[in-house]
């Protein structure tokens, strides 16, 4: 019994081994009769390729729309996207343009076939660029105005707009005599710009809208919005007279002050005590004041004597004292009156810069017709004869040695006259002299000017190479052609 059992087990194991080694069966192709492995179509690969062309119905040439103005491709149904050449985004866009017919699939069979599809790039202007070219198809406009005779604040604002890219959504920018106009395709973009202006310069605005068209059936309305932005009428280097109430609230400072800069607030300094104060937009509109003198009334003086005041008397409740300036008592004489003995005495916040023989620019208040309500109510002994503004250097030499440059907004502008050029040079000099303003501006190195020391023979301040950026030029667009730059 034991022997028979062993023989039976051995034969069973031999049978199981033979069954596991058996290879899969083959069938004959229904077309040519060649033995093949079973597949859902029961046809060999050669016959299947000869009978079925899976590329049939797929277009071998596809057009892609490209807008040269904004360098974007059209993605149906209504989107324009930016894609670099040989990028994943552009490949995905091209593949979506191919419509493969699924009716050619035979019983779940999987076929592979290689074929070439040509993509033709066609120029087509997008809707946004159409509105730019039309110049009248805008939904919102921002009218920025400043009632001053100098454009220093606008030059500074222009650099802030460039630095933070706030000009990218504008349809166009138009420069007029006393300000700038920004046009937008949507009200939301304009509101974002207004918020930016409120954070960068002291200003106020009013909003209005005008009905253009309406559809009574769908109850839709089409409006054009206008934002009127008014910047405070005070620029850097202006001499102002504060109201008694405002001067008292700022720490009992003198009413006659000098504006040393305008950023998000008006920065004032008292040339008689070096007391400083910052006035925001809301405070200014509650207690407004104006500039006492026109920028063209600046006169050139020569320093005859200069002494530093060491002990500054502070009154009760006085505000902060500037640590960047030195209080000086100087005797000056007009360069136009050198043939006379007439000299003027004044206190100035430029004591750390002035030496006998230096030239300085200032306002002659003693011989000036001051038409201001606050000045008319002041005692005459409280009004200084001369207010010095800044030290004077050789402008021609500074321009020749200036090895840096700024970018400008692409805008429609009137012909720049000599006064505009002089004001722009004043702004460039302010950047060299004031580090607080310079840190908010992108300054680019001018490779055409040789590198020299940071100061010249006269001691005029200059911008160091460490504060400059390299100027990058993008010479080609997405089509491989030369692209037009938005900024110059």
């Amino acid at each position: 019994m034991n022997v028979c059992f062993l023989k039976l087990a051995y034969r069973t194991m031999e049978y199981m081994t033979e069954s596991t080694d058996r290879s899969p069966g083959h069938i004959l192709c229904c077309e040519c009769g060649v033995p093949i492995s079973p597949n859902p179509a029961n046809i060999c690969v050669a016959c299947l390729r000869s009978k079925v062309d899976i590329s049939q119905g797929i277009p071998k040439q596809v057009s892609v729309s490209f807008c040269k103005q904004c360098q974007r491709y059209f993605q149906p149904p209504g989107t324009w996207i930016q894609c670099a050449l040989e990028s994943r985004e552009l490949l995905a866009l091209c593949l979506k343009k191919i419509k493969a017919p699924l009716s050619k699939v035979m019983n779940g069979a999987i076929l592979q076939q290689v074929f070439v599809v040509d993509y033709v790039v066609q120029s087509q202007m997008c809707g946004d660029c159409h509105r730019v070219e039309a110049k009248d198809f805008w939904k919102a406009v921002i009218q920025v105005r400043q009632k001053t005779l100098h454009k220093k604040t606008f030059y500074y604002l222009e650099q802030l707009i460039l630095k933070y890219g706030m000009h990218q959504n504008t349809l166009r920018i138009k420069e007029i005599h006393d300000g700038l106009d920004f046009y937008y395709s949507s009200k939301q973009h304009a509101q974002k710009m207004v918020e930016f202006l409120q954070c960068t310069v002291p200003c106020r605005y009013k909003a209005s809208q005008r009905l253009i068209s309406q559809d009574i059936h769908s109850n839709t309305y089409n409006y054009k919005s206008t934002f009127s932005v008014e910047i405070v009428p005070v620029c850097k280097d202006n001499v102002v007279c504060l109201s008694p109430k405002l001067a008292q609230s700022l720490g009992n400072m003198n009413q006659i002050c000098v504006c040393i800069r305008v950023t998000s607030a008006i920065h004032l300094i008292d040339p008689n005590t070096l007391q400083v104060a910052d006035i925001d937009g809301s405070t200014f509109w509650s207690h407004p004041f104006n500039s006492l003198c026109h920028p063209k009334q600046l006169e050139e003086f020569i320093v005859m004597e200069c002494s530093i005041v060491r002990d500054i008397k502070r009154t009760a409740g006085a505000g902060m004292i500037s640590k960047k300036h030195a209080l000086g008592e100087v005797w000056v004489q007009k360069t136009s009156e050198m043939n006379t003995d007439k000299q003027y005495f004044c206190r100035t916040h430029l004591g750390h810069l002035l030496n006998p023989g230096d030239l300085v620019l200032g306002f002659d208040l003693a011989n000036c017709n001051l038409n201001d309500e606050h000045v008319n109510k002041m005692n005459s002994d409280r009004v200084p004869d001369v207010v010095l503004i800044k030290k004077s250097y050789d402008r021609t030499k500074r321009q020749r040695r200036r090895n840096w440059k700024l970018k400008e907004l692409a805008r429609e502008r009137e012909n720049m006259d000599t006064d505009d050029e002089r004001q722009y040079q004043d702004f460039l000099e302010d950047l060299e002299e004031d580090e607080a303003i310079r840190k908010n501006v992108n300054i680019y190195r001018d490779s055409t000017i040789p590198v020299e020391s940071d100061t010249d023979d006269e001691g005029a301040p200059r911008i160091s190479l460490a504060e400059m950026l390299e100027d990058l030029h993008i010479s080609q667009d997405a089509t491989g052609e030369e692209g037009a730059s938005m900024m110059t």
Side-chain angles (χ1 to χ4, degrees):
M1 292 292 292
N2 294 335
V3 176
C4 293
F5 175 77
L6 291 174
K7 287 183 178 181
L8 180 61
Y10 175 77
R11 290 178 180 177
T12 305
M13 293 177 61
E14 185 179 9
Y15 175 76
M16 291 178 63
T17 303
E18 291 178 357
S19 63
T20 57
D21 293 341
R22 185 175 298 172
S23 59
H26 290 76
I27 63 174
L28 299 180
C29 175
C30 62
E31 295 290 336
C32 62
V34 176
I36 60 173
S37 300
N39 59 65
N42 295 330
I43 305 176
C44 66
V45 176
C47 296
L48 191 59
R49 287 180 176 175
S50 62
K51 293 179 62 68
V52 179
D53 182 12
I54 61 174
S55 66
Q56 184 179 3
I58 299 178
K60 302 302 187 296
Q61 188 178 68
V62 181
S63 62
V64 179
S65 300
F66 176 75
C67 179
K68 289 186 177 181
Q69 276 73 13
C70 61
Q71 311 293 313
R72 294 187 299 176
Y73 293 90
F74 178 67
Q75 182 179 14
T79 307
W80 291 83
I81 60 176
Q82 289 184 341
C83 302
L85 291 177
E86 300 182 1
S87 63
R88 291 184 177 181
E89 293 79 7
L90 185 57
L91 177 60
L93 176 66
C94 294
L95 292 178
K96 290 180 180 178
K97 299 284 290 186
I98 300 177
K99 303 298 182 181
L102 301 178
S103 60
K104 296 295 182 181
V105 178
M106 300 182 56
N107 298 328
I110 300 176
L111 297 180
Q112 293 183 353
Q113 184 175 344
V114 179
F115 59 94
V116 178
V117 178
D118 295 329
Y119 289 86
V120 180
V121 179
Q122 295 181 346
S123 297
Q124 179 182 346
M125 188 178 294
C126 66
D128 295 337
C129 294
H130 264 297
R131 288 188 285 271
V132 174
E133 293 297 326
K135 295 184 179 180
D136 290 329
F137 193 86
W138 50 270
K139 293 295 184 65
V141 60
I142 301 177
Q143 299 173 342
V144 186
R145 301 291 184 267
Q146 187 182 29
K147 298 178 182 179
T148 58
L149 298 175
H150 205 293
K151 298 181 180 180
K152 286 184 178 181
T153 306
F154 278 106
Y155 291 137
Y156 175 70
L157 180 61
E158 176 186 19
Q159 297 304 315
L160 292 179
I161 292 174
L162 287 171
K163 181 176 181 178
Y164 296 104
M166 297 302 297
H167 62 291
Q168 296 178 354
N169 294 324
T170 57
L171 297 178
R172 65 177 177 133
I173 303 175
K174 184 178 180 181
E175 179 181 355
I176 61 175
H177 176 65
D178 57 346
L180 294 171
D181 290 344
F182 298 87
Y183 294 87
Y184 294 89
S185 60
S186 67
K187 184 178 179 180
Q188 290 74 17
H189 291 158
Q191 290 174 332
K192 185 177 180 181
M193 183 64 171
V194 172
E195 294 175 358
F196 174 80
L197 294 175
Q198 290 181 302
C199 296
T200 52
V201 290
C203 62
R204 62 181 178 180
Y205 78 97
K206 293 182 179 179
S208 61
Q209 59 183 7
R210 179 165 56 96
L211 180 63
I212 303 300
S213 61
Q214 62 177 335
D215 187 353
I216 59 175
H217 301 288
S218 59
N219 198 25
T220 57
Y221 300 87
N222 183 20
Y223 291 96
K224 280 190 175 183
S225 302
T226 301
F227 297 87
S228 300
V229 180
E230 181 182 1
I231 303 177
V232 293
V234 178
C235 287
K236 185 181 184 298
D237 297 336
N238 283 167
V239 177
V240 299
C241 182
L242 308 179
S243 64
K245 184 176 181 181
L246 178 59
Q248 183 179 7
S249 65
L250 297 176
N252 294 322
M253 66 188 307
N254 291 323
Q255 292 181 245
I256 302 296
C257 299
V258 177
C259 178
I260 55 177
R261 77 178 62 89
V262 177
T263 55
S264 58
I266 305 174
H267 303 269
L268 301 178
I269 187 170
D270 181 0
N272 197 49
T273 62
L274 295 186
Q275 185 173 339
V276 293
D278 297 340
I279 300 178
D280 56 15
S282 60
T283 303
F284 174 85
W285 300 118
S286 301
H287 306 279
F289 50 86
N290 297 310
S291 175
L292 297 182
C293 301
H294 190 280
K296 293 183 179 180
Q297 294 178 302
L298 274 175
E299 297 190 56
E300 189 177 59
F301 297 84
I302 184 171
V303 179
M304 309 305 292
E305 297 180 16
C306 181
S307 60
I308 302 297
V309 179
R310 302 297 179 183
D311 298 329
I312 303 177
K313 297 181 180 180
R314 299 192 60 182
T315 59
M320 296 180 57
I321 301 297
S322 173
K323 303 298 182 182
K324 296 182 180 180
H325 302 82
L327 184 62
E329 293 181 344
V330 297
W331 284 91
V332 295
Q333 186 177 11
K334 291 183 181 180
T335 56
S336 60
E337 299 177 353
M338 294 299 294
N339 56 347
T340 66
D341 295 334
K342 188 174 183 180
Q343 296 184 5
Y344 302 89
F345 174 80
C346 66
R347 277 193 167 192
T348 178
H349 60 290
L350 305 176
H352 59 296
L353 298 176
L354 300 182
N355 295 295
D358 288 345
L359 297 178
V360 62
L361 298 177
F363 292 105
D364 181 9
L365 301 185
N367 301 312
C368 180
N369 184 16
L370 301 178
N371 186 14
D372 185 86
E373 58 175 341
H374 302 311
V375 175
N376 296 334
K377 297 178 182 179
M378 292 178 59
N379 295 328
S380 58
D381 58 345
R382 302 283 295 176
V383 180
D385 293 337
V386 172
V387 177
L388 301 181
I389 300 301
K390 61 180 179 179
K391 188 176 180 180
S392 178
Y393 301 97
D394 188 350
R395 168 163 289 186
T396 304
K397 185 180 296 185
R398 295 182 72 173
Q399 290 178 344
R400 186 173 63 252
R401 294 187 175 184
R402 187 171 290 140
N403 58 346
W404 54 274
K405 59 184 178 180
L406 301 176
K407 293 187 179 296
E408 298 180 6
L409 286 173
R411 60 184 182 270
E412 302 175 11
R413 62 193 310 173
E414 301 174 354
N415 295 330
M416 179 179 290
D417 54 17
T418 55
D419 188 56
D420 290 338
E421 180 62 27
R422 179 186 59 83
Q423 294 183 18
Y424 187 69
Q425 292 300 324
D426 290 342
F427 173 69
L428 298 182
E429 293 176 0
D430 291 342
L431 290 179
E432 293 175 334
E433 298 169 4
D434 194 343
E435 183 181 358
I437 298 179
R438 191 165 64 239
K439 68 180 182 180
N440 297 327
V441 176
N442 286 341
I443 299 173
Y444 298 90
R445 187 186 177 317
D446 190 353
S447 57
T448 60
I449 307 299
V451 179
E452 298 181 8
S453 59
D454 293 344
T455 57
D456 55 17
D457 298 336
E458 294 183 337
R462 300 182 65 190
I463 300 178
S464 63
L465 290 175
E467 300 178 81
M468 301 181 190
L469 302 174
E470 291 294 334
D471 191 9
L472 301 179
H473 297 279
I474 301 177
S475 59
Q476 290 188 341
D477 57 15
T479 60
E481 301 177 354
E482 185 176 355
S485 59
M486 288 295 294
M487 295 175 291
T488 58

